[in-house]
């Protein structure tokens, strides 16, 4: 007989921790949290820099400290935690869902009513961006380099080139500099930086590390270890410009070239994904289009602040304990929006506090965001400046708005 | 055509004056030219002249400084003053299969491989197709050993514990005329002993592989084509050889030879000088240089690079069978020197596409270039237009080792009686290896016996190499049992490929003593999935350090010097 | 002059003017932005995160941070100071590993709970 839980949370990072805690707060709800690593906390374990939790706790915590607050709270709940456990199969069954996972005790089978996917994201690789050349050691994703330094205590290189100005790239530029490496430069194919502005300042400017925009690494050279990289300027479509190549000697290339939500399990459950976010399409309760399957955190869309990752975990955990008969209406985007989450609204559940996250598709100033239903404005806000790397969050009160046949539109336009 | 006439033709066509001389085995070319492809084309013109001789092409590329051969960064006397009946040079599929077949005899066998693992050359970087041999036209070693080797695959893979899938292949026709002309291929296949080749109609191929429905008019079905992991097979051969007493010396490059009269007497390596009664040259792209060391140069290897692309298993629009595009009217009338390649479903259910064929002067140029990726994708997606370029997760290049005659050289040298050449091994080398390895072992054993050695088959030879555990391919019940016997098999380290700590430890404790991150990757696929090791590489590195008792910063990706890390962080450095 | 506040992820763009020995700040969403701008011009301070070595199984290093800010010029000195420290037993997060560094009153504390078993 498989053990039955009302809720199974997959992933013990910030989203999964928050989801499990929230779900367990409803009386009598049984929750199983499945974590594939040996310790809870997800990627926060290796994010030893500070700046986490400013929104939620009003403090600047390091990654491990932020995770620890939730881990301690989780220990006070009745949530069953299974560490070093890996889900091998997930499908609908007679009792909701059948889940099979492996751990050190063997192959385990459980059933559950609802699933919350909090599987995080993975990094884009060298191959994904077609950096050609030799197959030498010394080319690492920023996360792998961070693990080497912060968990294993070893240096991935001494003369480092960083490709990508996303936050992890900037954080690693500082971290490697502190540990004595020479960071030759951060190169970014886009004409604007991808990371938070404060990180450009405290990670690069503080240490005189140059940032080269509209430039990328086009080739790597090295027999055993990396010996040099070829840098090319890129045009406005980010294609390398012939004739602009220069060679930079280095023994390490760190790639911070983007994150992709991990959705292997979502796929297995037949959850439709959003091409813009690469995560599941959800309603305001983080429920996907597959009934009973919820998605939150970076598996849903890549966040820049962990505080919002936890928030979406709580949304999913809170909603998953309730029974619902959904009636979904689509949210349509207009104007220069990269994406908005949720992509659907459930008319039959609470609409008084709909949290919506969005990103602009370009660096924009003097913008007006309007949420309208059936042509009537339900929410509007003016932004002086919007940057694609900086996610925006709004709270909508749509109670009393007739959503039954009105189209919900999110529009970004010049003020 | 006489070689003088060919020389005149070359000068007319390319404006290159070629010095030509010949001996009883070879035509030897000299001169200088400023284009590598021209140099190769000239070599081919002489090879195709029908003289029955090999071509030694010494025409140099103007202004090109040959890259120094990559040699292991170690020098010691580990092998010094050891005596061997047979020294096998090279740990690719040829060398490993030959060593294993030789290990049936009561011989002292040394295999030298200059890299830190076997299968590091072309054997580790090809698509793993076990060819049926339908495109081989002439009476040649390729055909003989290719067809014989193909037939041996089921048994040899069972013995060595290697996955093999005789999946068959469909060559897609887009022209009714070509489909009609393919009847001659079927006839030839029958003559060559290739079983079951038939032509199937549009309806049938579209049912089997619906992705071709918009353009296919039929297909050639080749049931004996199979797929294997070429590096896993090479590793298995090497491990079984070790099991049966062969000494595999890694990080060991042959630097020279000493001769005693006609014969090679000593082999000089970076790990010491050894004596050898017989030497087998399985040196791949360096086979001609090894021959030269023994003063036996009678062929030239011209490196030919090929690039393959690996698709994400979750990609949409993947085909479900091995398919390739048949000739078109245009390509059929042109020379067919470039092989077509195709789309392959590997034994690990990955879709692999490629390769192309680019002549390169550098024998070890395994770097990838965008133009190859683009052209391979464009060419192969023709028979599966639903493939998407952004769903490529990896690509790699290998360098084939053809001679100008484009056939295998599998023979004892006419000039150096104790030197056996296994050279010019290119496609279908993986297919042919089980067959030619048997012949090479026999040639070698017979030679040693003819010199008075008492060569016997060993009664205790064990042909079986146990397949390593692959937990994810077990049933739930078997997997559960395995984990209960060793909990490490329940701890997943590589999340993309579902590889457990137990499997990684098993890979680290391999019989060859390979302790590298890529060695683990080749054995159990940790790091081969869509994250390409981003998550598991540090864990694998740490596990290698723990298991072998070295510092994390001493663990290498592959060869000596390819350390993952360059030292400890300040706080740990003391 | 323009400046970016690094106190919190908002990253406010500050407009800073010096006039008659006074520093005027605008563009800040909160009071902390003003304080930041003034100290940045007079005596820039940073909090620092890094690691210290341990001899505990499963923890080659453990993460640490300053529990306050230290002068920006002292960052590398702090890293060198941390290189002298080795933890020989598991400690909870918040354990002081270096007290009152450079007379600033700031301590260096661990930020990972090592008492959690590491399989």
């Amino acid at each position: 007989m498989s053990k039955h839980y009302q809720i199974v949370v997959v992933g013990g990072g910030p989203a999964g921790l928050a989801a499990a805690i929230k779900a367990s707060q409803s009386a009598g709800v049984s929750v199983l949290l499945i974590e594939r690593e040996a310790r809870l906390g997800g990627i926060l374990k290796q994010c030893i820099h500070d700046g986490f939790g400013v929104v939620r706790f009003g403090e600047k915590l390091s990654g491990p400290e932020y995770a620890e607050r939730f881990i301690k709270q989780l220990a006070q709940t009745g949530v069953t935690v299974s560490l070093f456990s890996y889900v091998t199969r997930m499908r609908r069954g007679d009792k909701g869902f059948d889940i099979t996972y492996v751990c050190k005790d063997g192959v385990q089978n459980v059933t559950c009513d609802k699933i919350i996917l909090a599987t995080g994201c993975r990094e884009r690789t060298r191959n994904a961006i077609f950096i050609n050349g030799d197959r030498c050691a010394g080319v690492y994703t920023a996360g792998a380099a961070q693990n080497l330094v912060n968990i294993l205590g070893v240096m991935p290189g001494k003369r480092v080139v960083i490709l990508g100005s996303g936050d992890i790239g900037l954080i690693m530029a500082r971290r490697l500099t502190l540990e004595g490496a020479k960071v030759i430069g951060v190169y970014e194919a886009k004409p604007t930086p991808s990371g938070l502005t404060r990180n450009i300042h405290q990670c690069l400017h503080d240490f005189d590390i140059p940032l080269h925009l509209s430039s990328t690494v086009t080739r790597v050279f090295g027999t055993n270890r990396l010996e040099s990289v070829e840098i090319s300027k890129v045009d406005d479509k980010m294609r390398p410009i012939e004739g602009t190549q220069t060679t930079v000697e280095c023994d390490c290339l760190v790639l911070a070239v983007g994150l992709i939500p991990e959705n292997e399990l979502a796929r297995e459950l037949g959850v439709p994904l959003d091409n813009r976010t690469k995560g599941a399409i959800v309603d305001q309760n983080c429920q996907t289009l597959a009934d009973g399957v919820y998605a939150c955190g970076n598996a849903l869309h890549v966040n820049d602040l962990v505080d919002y990752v936890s928030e979406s975990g709580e949304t999913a955990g809170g909603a998953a304990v309730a029974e619902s008969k959904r009636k979904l209406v689509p949210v349509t985007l207009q104007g220069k929006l990269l994406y908005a989450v949720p992509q659907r609204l459930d008319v039959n559940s609470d609409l008084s506090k709909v949290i919506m996250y969005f990103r602009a598709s370009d660096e924009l100033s003097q913008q007006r965001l309007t949420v309208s239903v059936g042509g009537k404005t339900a929410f509007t806000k003016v932004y002086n400046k919007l940057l694609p790397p900086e996610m925006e969050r709004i709270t909508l009160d749509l109670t009393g708005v007739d959503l039954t046949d009105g189209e919900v539109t999110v529009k970004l336009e010049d003020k | 055509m006489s070689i003088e006439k060919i020389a005149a033709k070359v000068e007319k066509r390319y404006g290159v004056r070629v010095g030509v001389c010949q001996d009883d085995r070879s035509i030897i070319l000299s001169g200088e030219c400023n284009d590598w492809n021209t140099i190769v084309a000239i070599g081919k013109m002489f090879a195709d002249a029908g003289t029955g001789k090999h071509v030694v092409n010494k025409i140099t590329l103007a202004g090109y400084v040959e890259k120094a051969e990559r040699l292991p960064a170690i020098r010691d006397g580990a092998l010094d003053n050891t005596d061997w009946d047979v020294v096998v040079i090279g740990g690719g599929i040829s060398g490993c299969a030959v060593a294993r077949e030789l290990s049936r005899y009561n011989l002292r066998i040394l295999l030298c491989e200059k890299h830190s693992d076997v299968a590091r050359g072309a054997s580790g970087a090809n698509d793993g197709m076990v060819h049926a041999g339908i495109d081989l036209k002439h009476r040649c070693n390729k055909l003989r050993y290719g067809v014989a080797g193909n037939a041996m695959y089921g048994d040899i893979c069972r013995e060595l514990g290697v996955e093999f899938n005789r999946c068959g292949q469909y060559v897609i026709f887009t022209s009714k005329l070509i489909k009609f002309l393919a009847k001659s291929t079927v006839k030839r296949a029958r003559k060559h002993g290739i079983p079951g080749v038939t032509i199937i109609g549009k309806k049938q191929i579209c049912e089997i592989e619906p992705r071709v429905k918009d353009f296919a008019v039929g297909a050639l079905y080749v049931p004996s084509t199979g797929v294997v992991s070429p590096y896993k097979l090479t590793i298995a051969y090497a491990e079984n050889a070790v099991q049966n007493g062969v000494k595999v010396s890694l990080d060991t490059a042959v630097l020279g030879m000493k001769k005693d009269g006609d014969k090679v007497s000593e082999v000089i390596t970076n790990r010491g000088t050894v004596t050898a009664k017989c030497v087998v040259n399985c040196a791949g792209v360096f086979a001609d240089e090894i021959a030269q060391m023994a003063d036996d140069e009678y062929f030239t290897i011209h490196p030919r690079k090929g690039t393959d692309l690996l698709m994400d298993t979750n990609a949409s629009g993947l085909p479900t069978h091995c398919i390739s595009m048949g000739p078109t009217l245009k390509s059929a009338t042109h020379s067919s020197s470039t092989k077509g390649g195709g789309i392959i479903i590997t034994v690990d259910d990955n879709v692999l596409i490629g390769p192309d064929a680019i002549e390169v002067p550098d024998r070890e140029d395994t770097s990838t270039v965008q133009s190859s990726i683009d052209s391979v994708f464009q060419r192969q997606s023709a028979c599966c237009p639903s493939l998407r370029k952004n769903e490529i997760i990896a690509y790699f290049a290998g360098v084939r080792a053809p001679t100008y005659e484009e056939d295998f050289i599998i023979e004892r040298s006419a000039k150096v009686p104790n030197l056996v050449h296994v050279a010019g091994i290119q496609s279908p080398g993986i297919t042919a290896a089980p067959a030619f390895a048997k012949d090479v072992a026999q040639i070698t054993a017979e030679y040693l016996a003819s010199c008075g050695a008492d060569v016997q088959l060993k009664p205790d030879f064990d042909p079986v190499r146990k397949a390593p555990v692959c937990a994810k391919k077990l049933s739930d019940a078997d997997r559960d049992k395995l984990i209960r016997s060793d909990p490490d098999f329940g701890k997943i380290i590589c999340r993309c490929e579902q590889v457990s700590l137990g499997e990684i430890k098993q890979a680290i404790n391999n019989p060859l003593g390979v302790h590298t991150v890529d060695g683990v990757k080749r054995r159990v696929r940790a790091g081969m999935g869509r994250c390409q090791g981003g998550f598991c590489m540090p864990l694998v590195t740490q596990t290698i350090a723990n298991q072998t008792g070295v510092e994390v910063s001493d663990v290498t990706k592959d060869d000596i010097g390819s350390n993952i890390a360059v030292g400890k962080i300040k706080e740990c450095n003391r | 002059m323009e400046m970016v506040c690094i106190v919190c992820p908002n990253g406010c763009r500050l407009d800073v003017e010096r006039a008659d020995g006074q520093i005027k700040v605008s563009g800040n969403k909160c009071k902390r932005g003003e304080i930041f701008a003034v100290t940045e011009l007079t005596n820039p301070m940073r909090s620092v995160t890094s690691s210290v070595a341990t001899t505990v199984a499963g923890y080659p290093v453990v993460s640490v941070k300053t529990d306050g800010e230290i002068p920006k010029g002292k960052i590398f000195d702090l890293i060198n100071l941390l290189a002298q420290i080795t933890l020989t037993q598991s400690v909870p997060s918040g354990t002081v590993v270096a007290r009152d560094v450079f007379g600033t009153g700031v301590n260096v504390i661990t930020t990972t709970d090592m008492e959690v078993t590491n399989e």
Side-chain angles (χ1 to χ4, degrees):
Chain A
M1 253 298 276
S2 303
K3 189 157 167 57
H4 185 82
Y5 294 89
Q6 269 150 295
I7 292 171
V8 167
V9 180
V10 185
L17 286 168
I21 291 165
K22 185 75 185 177
S24 71
Q25 284 165 354
S26 292
V29 173
S30 56
V31 182
L32 170 66
L33 173 63
I34 301 176
E35 165 55 40
R36 62 186 156 196
E37 288 191 58
R39 280 191 277 163
L40 291 169
I43 206 68
L44 290 174
K45 295 193 295 293
Q46 66 183 53
C47 298
I48 66 166
H49 56 280
D50 66 2
F52 298 92
V54 174
V55 177
R56 173 176 286 264
F57 299 117
E59 285 181 65
K60 281 201 292 188
L61 302 172
S62 69
E65 290 173 309
Y66 183 93
E68 196 187 327
R69 299 225 169 166
F70 288 84
I71 295 167
K72 285 209 162 127
Q73 211 183 330
L74 185 79
Q76 307 303 311
T77 68
V79 173
T80 308
V81 177
S82 188
L83 292 175
F84 229 151
S85 300
Y86 181 97
V87 175
T88 57
R89 204 160 47 236
M90 249 185 185
R91 57 189 172 211
R92 281 186 196 277
D94 304 335
K95 293 180 184 156
F97 297 96
D98 297 338
I99 298 176
T100 306
Y101 64 94
V102 297
C103 64
K104 66 180 190 336
D105 302 320
V107 179
Q108 315 288 322
N109 292 297
V110 295
T111 58
C112 65
D113 301 332
K114 307 273 181 74
I115 291 174
I116 299 176
L117 297 173
T119 44
C121 57
R122 67 171 188 274
E123 296 176 277
R124 288 177 80 205
T125 66
R126 163 184 177 176
N127 294 331
I129 54 167
F130 294 107
I131 297 179
N132 280 288
D134 296 323
R135 298 275 135 182
C136 42
V139 182
Y140 305 116
T141 59
Q146 191 177 47
N147 189 308
L148 290 174
V149 178
N150 294 345
I151 304 291
L152 297 183
V154 294
M155 290 293 280
K158 289 210 162 78
R159 278 181 64 81
V160 184
V161 163
I162 295 182
L163 178 62
S165 59
D167 290 313
I168 327 168
L170 304 176
I171 297 287
M172 282 314 292
R174 175 176 65 182
R175 183 77 189 111
L176 289 165
T177 304
L178 286 180
E179 291 298 346
K182 167 79 185 160
V183 176
I184 298 158
V186 176
Y187 296 83
E188 168 62 57
K190 294 195 203 97
T192 52
S194 298
L196 297 174
T197 314
R198 69 188 283 261
N199 283 335
I200 303 282
H201 282 260
Q202 62 181 357
C203 297
L204 301 189
H205 295 181
D206 270 7
F207 301 94
D208 297 323
I209 299 167
L211 172 62
H212 305 273
L213 298 171
S214 299
S215 304
T216 191
V217 172
T218 38
R219 226 185 134 113
V220 301
F221 303 93
T223 304
N224 288 319
R225 281 282 309 189
L226 182 67
E227 289 156 24
S228 62
V229 298
E230 177 190 271
I231 307 277
S232 298
K233 287 264 167 205
V234 298
D235 63 17
D236 52 3
K237 292 201 172 70
M238 296 210 283
R239 291 170 308 205
I241 303 168
E242 197 53 44
T244 61
Q245 297 95 330
T246 53
T247 304
V248 173
E249 276 181 34
C250 57
D251 66 355
C252 183
L253 171 64
V254 172
L255 302 170
V257 290
L259 301 167
I260 308 161
E262 281 263 47
N263 275 296
E264 305 323 309
L265 293 173
R267 249 178 248 269
E268 202 168 319
L269 290 165
V271 171
L273 304 183
D274 181 347
N275 233 342
R276 300 169 185 248
T277 58
K278 311 284 179 210
I281 297 171
V282 293
D283 63 21
Q284 73 268 35
N285 298 317
C286 290
Q287 188 168 187
T288 70
L289 298 187
D291 284 336
V293 181
Y294 295 73
C296 55
N298 282 348
L300 180 55
H301 63 117
V302 176
N303 291 254
D304 34 62
L305 294 185
V306 70
D307 310 67
Y308 297 134
V309 167
S310 303
E311 180 178 65
S312 78
E314 282 170 343
T315 303
V321 295
E323 276 311 316
S324 67
K325 197 98 190 114
R326 289 192 291 171
K327 182 173 190 292
L328 298 177
V329 295
V331 176
T332 313
L333 307 186
Q334 281 180 12
K336 290 183 171 172
L337 285 163
L338 195 61
Y339 70 73
V341 174
Q343 299 89 337
R344 300 283 189 277
L345 290 176
D346 175 18
V347 181
N348 290 349
S349 67
D350 183 24
L351 288 162
S352 66
K353 252 165 89 187
V354 173
I355 298 165
M356 182 173 274
Y357 310 101
F358 73 92
R359 283 179 201 271
S361 58
D362 281 310
E363 196 172 325
L364 302 168
S365 52
Q366 300 302 314
Q367 296 292 302
R368 177 186 297 279
L369 182 89
T370 310
V371 181
S372 55
V373 182
K376 282 190 210 136
T377 300
F379 175 92
T380 183
K381 186 175 176 182
V382 171
Y383 292 88
N384 288 331
K385 200 163 177 68
L386 285 171
L387 300 169
E390 300 187 359
M391 193 182 79
E392 298 293 337
R393 173 189 180 277
I394 56 174
T395 311
L396 307 173
D397 182 1
L398 298 174
T399 41
V401 180
D402 181 15
L403 285 159
T404 42
D405 51 9
E407 195 184 345
V408 182
T409 308
V410 182
K411 187 177 182 179
L412 191 62
E413 61 194 336
D414 291 342
K415 195 175 92 179
Chain B
M1 207 187 293
S2 77
I3 58 169
E4 290 77 18
K5 276 190 181 161
I6 299 167
K9 205 168 148 188
V10 164
E11 188 167 356
K12 198 172 159 206
R13 188 183 292 176
Y14 298 113
V16 177
R17 187 169 294 223
V18 180
V20 185
C21 63
Q22 50 182 325
D23 58 21
D24 50 343
R25 293 188 293 182
S26 326
I27 303 166
I28 300 134
L29 310 176
S30 57
E32 196 186 65
C33 174
N34 53 19
D35 175 59
W36 182 255
N37 281 318
T38 305
I39 295 173
V40 175
I42 294 170
K44 276 194 183 305
M45 284 172 74
F46 282 94
D48 294 343
T51 60
K53 286 186 182 175
H54 295 280
V55 168
V56 174
N57 191 346
K58 294 278 191 193
I59 304 172
T60 53
L61 181 60
Y64 176 72
V65 184
E66 203 169 329
K67 258 192 162 179
E69 185 188 342
R70 291 169 58 173
L71 292 173
I74 181 174
R75 258 181 191 272
D76 61 17
L79 295 173
D80 233 356
N81 301 320
T82 53
D83 300 315
W84 305 94
D85 293 314
V86 186
V87 172
V88 179
I89 303 171
I93 185 71
S94 306
C96 294
V98 165
R100 187 263 188 174
E101 292 306 325
L102 275 170
S103 71
R104 294 174 186 273
Y105 300 95
N106 58 337
L107 298 170
R108 293 162 303 161
I109 303 156
L110 170 69
L111 185 149
C112 299
E113 166 53 49
K114 72 168 184 165
H115 290 290
S116 293
D117 196 356
V118 296
R120 288 290 318 282
S123 310
N126 70 86
D127 60 14
M129 181 177 261
V130 177
H131 294 270
I134 47 161
D135 43 6
L136 298 172
K137 293 193 174 93
H138 312 293
R139 285 255 153 258
C140 60
N141 280 335
K142 278 186 181 177
L143 179 69
R144 177 180 157 207
Y145 289 118
V147 173
N150 179 297
M152 292 166 71
Y153 252 80
D155 290 338
I156 196 73
C157 289
R158 246 190 313 281
E159 276 185 352
L160 295 177
V162 177
E163 270 182 286
F164 167 64
N165 182 9
R166 199 178 287 283
C167 50
Q169 182 190 18
Y170 298 88
V171 182
I172 310 296
F173 300 130
T174 54
S175 137
K176 283 189 175 149
L177 179 61
I178 292 288
K179 185 181 162 193
F180 176 77
L181 292 175
K183 283 184 177 169
S184 68
T185 310
V186 174
K187 226 166 145 184
R188 196 177 63 218
R190 201 169 300 146
K191 201 174 113 197
H192 289 166
I194 301 166
V197 179
T198 50
I199 295 172
I200 60 171
K202 180 182 167 75
K203 192 167 162 240
Q204 215 181 335
I205 184 62
C206 294
E207 271 169 23
I208 292 164
E209 189 53 72
R211 306 213 174 267
V212 304
K213 67 178 189 318
D214 293 339
F215 48 87
V217 299
L220 187 72
Y221 174 49
V222 189
S224 63
T225 301
V227 289
V228 73
S229 160
Y231 46 87
K232 280 190 185 168
L233 179 64
T234 307
I235 289 166
Y237 261 125
E239 290 187 359
N240 189 234
V242 169
Q243 242 175 291
N244 287 295
V246 172
K247 158 92 178 162
V248 173
S249 185
L250 299 170
D251 304 310
T252 305
V254 171
L255 306 173
M257 292 183 200
K258 277 189 196 153
K259 285 178 76 176
D260 180 9
D262 289 346
K263 293 183 184 174
V264 175
S265 56
E266 289 179 21
V267 176
I268 303 157
T269 79
N270 57 316
R271 318 292 301 265
T273 298
V274 305
T275 66
K277 289 201 174 74
C278 187
V279 174
V280 185
N281 171 14
C282 301
V285 286
F286 289 103
D288 52 351
E289 295 201 349
I290 293 293
Q292 204 181 352
M293 283 179 196
D295 193 21
D296 191 33
E297 186 178 31
Y298 64 99
F299 55 86
T300 294
I301 304 293
H302 58 100
R304 189 191 287 147
K305 186 152 100 171
T307 298
D308 285 282
L309 319 176
L310 192 71
M311 307 299 296
D312 192 330
T313 32
N314 282 338
S316 50
L318 296 179
T320 51
H321 296 80
C322 293
I323 52 175
S324 66
M325 210 60 159
T328 59
L329 285 175
K330 205 174 156 196
S331 73
T333 53
H334 281 64
S335 113
S336 57
S337 62
T338 49
K339 278 197 49 132
I343 302 182
I344 280 178
I345 318 290
T346 71
V347 283
D348 298 296
D349 291 328
N350 279 117
V351 169
L352 192 65
I353 72 178
D356 59 352
I358 309 288
E359 300 289 344
V360 289
D362 178 1
R363 297 162 193 262
E364 296 180 286
D365 178 11
T366 53
S367 64
T368 58
V369 292
Q370 194 61 35
S371 57
S372 272
I373 293 167
D374 293 344
S375 71
V376 166
F377 186 80
Q378 193 188 1
R379 187 187 175 107
Q380 303 306 345
S381 59
C383 66
C384 187
S386 48
L387 292 176
R388 293 223 306 267
K389 204 167 174 178
N390 62 3
E391 292 180 315
I392 297 171
I393 58 165
Y395 33 89
F396 56 85
V399 183
R400 309 174 185 90
T403 60
Y404 281 98
E405 303 76 63
E406 300 287 345
D407 196 12
F408 301 160
I409 295 174
I410 292 167
E411 63 196 18
R412 192 155 63 82
S413 164
K415 208 173 143 192
V416 184
N418 69 339
L419 177 60
V420 180
H421 293 294
V422 182
I425 308 300
Q426 52 159 320
S427 176
I430 294 288
T431 312
F436 69 63
K438 276 199 175 311
D439 274 14
V440 171
Q442 201 182 338
I443 293 168
T444 309
E446 280 170 4
Y447 166 75
L448 289 168
S450 76
C451 298
D454 177 28
V455 184
Q456 303 282 339
L457 285 168
K458 286 191 296 207
D460 58 345
F461 171 77
D462 183 359
V464 177
R465 175 250 189 194
K466 236 180 109 200
V469 173
C470 179
K472 79 167 169 186
K473 292 193 175 172
L474 298 175
S475 68
D476 281 0
D478 288 345
R479 193 174 189 172
D480 188 63
K481 221 167 104 187
L482 174 70
I483 298 169
R484 284 171 199 277
S485 73
D486 183 350
D488 282 349
F489 286 102
K491 298 175 179 173
I492 303 296
I493 298 290
C494 166
R495 54 181 75 169
C496 303
E497 293 290 324
Q498 249 185 72
V499 187
S500 68
L501 181 61
E503 288 157 276
I504 288 168
K505 283 185 177 173
Q506 174 189 271
I508 295 167
N509 298 312
N510 64 78
L512 299 179
V514 177
H515 302 141
T516 63
V517 173
D518 280 2
V520 168
K521 178 173 164 181
R522 281 187 284 271
R523 282 161 180 78
V524 289
R525 300 186 59 74
M528 279 212 183
R530 61 185 62 81
C531 92
Q532 290 287 299
F535 285 118
C536 70
M537 180 275 288
L539 286 165
V540 170
T541 306
Q542 190 182 23
T543 308
I544 292 172
N546 289 345
Q547 288 286 301
T548 59
V550 302
E551 297 279 357
V552 168
S553 48
D554 290 334
V555 175
T556 59
K557 176 175 189 281
D558 234 321
D559 285 351
I560 297 171
S562 65
N563 297 47
I564 295 290
V566 297
K568 294 182 176 183
I569 64 170
K570 275 184 190 169
E571 289 86 344
C572 297
N573 227 341
R574 55 194 59 159
Chain C
M1 65 183 286
E2 282 191 16
M3 195 182 273
V4 172
C5 176
I6 61 170
V7 173
C8 86
N10 279 335
C12 292
R13 282 154 190 79
L14 309 178
D15 220 341
V16 188
E17 272 180 71
R18 258 183 213 254
D20 316 324
Q22 290 282 316
I23 297 171
K24 282 179 81 180
V25 182
S26 57
N28 50 317
K29 284 186 189 157
C30 74
K31 180 84 180 137
R32 289 179 299 177
E34 194 179 326
I35 299 166
F36 170 77
V38 173
T39 48
E40 194 66 6
L41 288 179
T42 51
N43 178 25
M45 303 287 280
R46 293 288 182 271
S47 44
V48 182
T49 60
S50 190
S51 320
V52 296
T54 96
T55 56
V56 178
Y59 286 94
V61 288
V62 68
S63 60
V64 297
K65 71 171 185 185
T66 52
D67 64 3
E69 292 183 326
I70 63 166
K72 195 172 149 186
K74 289 280 183 200
I75 294 177
F76 283 97
D77 295 334
L78 180 74
I79 301 292
N80 292 334
L81 180 94
L82 296 178
Q84 310 303 316
I85 299 168
T86 303
L87 283 175
T88 53
Q89 59 184 39
S90 283
V91 292
S93 61
T95 304
V96 176
V97 298
R99 207 169 285 281
D100 185 21
V101 292
F102 313 118
T104 54
V106 170
N107 301 320
V108 178
I109 59 171
T110 63
T111 58
T112 294
D113 183 3
M114 293 169 71
E115 289 177 334
V116 177
T117 34
N118 193 6
E119 281 185 57

